[in-house]
Every structure is written in structure tokens, then in C-alpha cells.
Amino acid sequence: MKTFTVTYMGGEFALEIVEPQVKVFGDTVKLKEAVFTREGYLQDGWSTEDGGKGVYRLGVDYVADADVVLYPHWRVDPDAIPTVAGSSVARFSVVSHARSLEISGVRAGSGVVVYDMRGHVVAKATASAGTFSMGTFVPGMYLVRVGSDVKRVAVR
């Protein structure tokens, strides 16, 4: 029995992790409704490219016998309440350097947790200084959390 995978990626702005769906050859699978969030925006569909045009509506039947990666398509939320500038932005920065992460703008003693895109913890550390480096990571996307602030980083 041939199967295909519908993978949901948050793209640049969303941090949620969504389980993929499996589609059996010849069957249909109902695409998920809005599952990602972005401050000031509403998810109104699915795109095959991050930041691309809407290709699929939310909750429609996917009939193609092919793997697909879907990203949220956004529209401005007209009812969004503006926030204080910077209040939703993480107060630290993280940069990938040759499979290690350089994290800056944190207080010494702060706890740092690194997650893979499935939500699994792959590394933990306590900041030794305001700027420090962490471990060796395989290429991929990661979420770095310091306190309640989260940043996404790509390791190449």
C-alpha cells in the first residue's frame, strides 16, 4: 500500500509543531484547519512555499497522490490589537556558526533549551555569560528558548 505524507511547517513566523498526516494512494485526506498563529494575522489557507500565495483552503480534501509540504498563508487580522513595539520579540539573539549556536543578549545563569522541530529537547545549558556558544548540532531547524522568549534558527 503506497502512502504519502502531508507535512505542515510553520514557516518564518509560526513556532507551533504540527503532526504530519498520512494519505493512502487513491484516498483523500482532509487538510487541517488553521493550526498556526502569528501576532496580528489570521491563517486563511495553505501554501506550498513559505510566504507564498494560498494554494489550498483550510479543511479541504487533498486528493493528489504525492507528498506535500504546506505552510500557513496569512492575512492581516483587522481586529488585532496593536502591541507595544518589541513586546512580542525575543530579547536575545542566536546565530548558527559551523553547527554550533552563538547565543547573546542573555543574563549569566539563564536557562537555555534547544528543541528540534518535533518539539524534542536536544540540548540544555545554563548561560555562563551574556554571550556563549552551545554544542554541535546536525543541520536542520531548531527553536531556542530562554525564559519565555523563543527564536528559530537554521543550522547548515
Side-chain angles (χ1 to χ4, degrees):
M1 172 172 29
K2 179 84 171 140
T3 61
F4 304 94
T5 304
V6 179
T7 304
Y8 297 92
M9 299 296 292
E12 180 179 357
F13 298 103
L15 299 177
E16 294 87 354
I17 297 167
V18 177
E19 288 294 317
Q21 291 175 289
V22 175
K23 179 195 176 302
V24 175
F25 180 85
D27 288 350
T28 63
V29 65
K30 188 171 287 302
L31 296 180
K32 295 186 184 268
E33 295 292 337
V35 295
F36 293 105
T37 58
R38 176 180 175 193
E39 189 170 328
Y41 292 81
L42 298 171
Q43 182 185 347
D44 67 353
W46 296 106
S47 176
T48 54
E49 297 177 33
D50 188 13
K53 294 181 179 180
V55 176
Y56 298 102
R57 290 189 323 265
L58 300 170
V60 299
D61 288 338
Y62 177 72
V63 298
D65 288 322
D67 293 326
V68 65
V69 176
L70 297 175
Y71 298 86
H73 181 266
W74 305 107
R75 69 176 169 87
V76 173
D77 181 355
D79 297 323
I81 299 170
T83 60
V84 176
S87 65
S88 64
V89 176
R91 294 174 286 250
F92 69 95
S93 63
V94 58
V95 179
S96 170
H97 292 292
R99 296 193 182 185
S100 67
L101 301 178
E102 180 180 292
I103 301 166
S104 58
V106 298
R107 286 194 317 260
S110 297
V112 179
V113 182
V114 181
Y115 301 88
D116 65 17
M117 294 310 289
R118 292 186 194 162
H120 299 117
V121 174
V122 295
K124 288 183 178 183
T126 300
S128 55
T131 299
F132 72 103
S133 294
M134 285 183 73
T136 301
F137 295 89
V138 297
M141 293 295 293
Y142 295 90
L143 299 177
V144 178
R145 183 177 58 121
V146 177
S148 61
D149 294 336
V150 178
K151 286 257 186 171
R152 182 189 308 241
V153 63
V155 174
R156 301 189 196 285

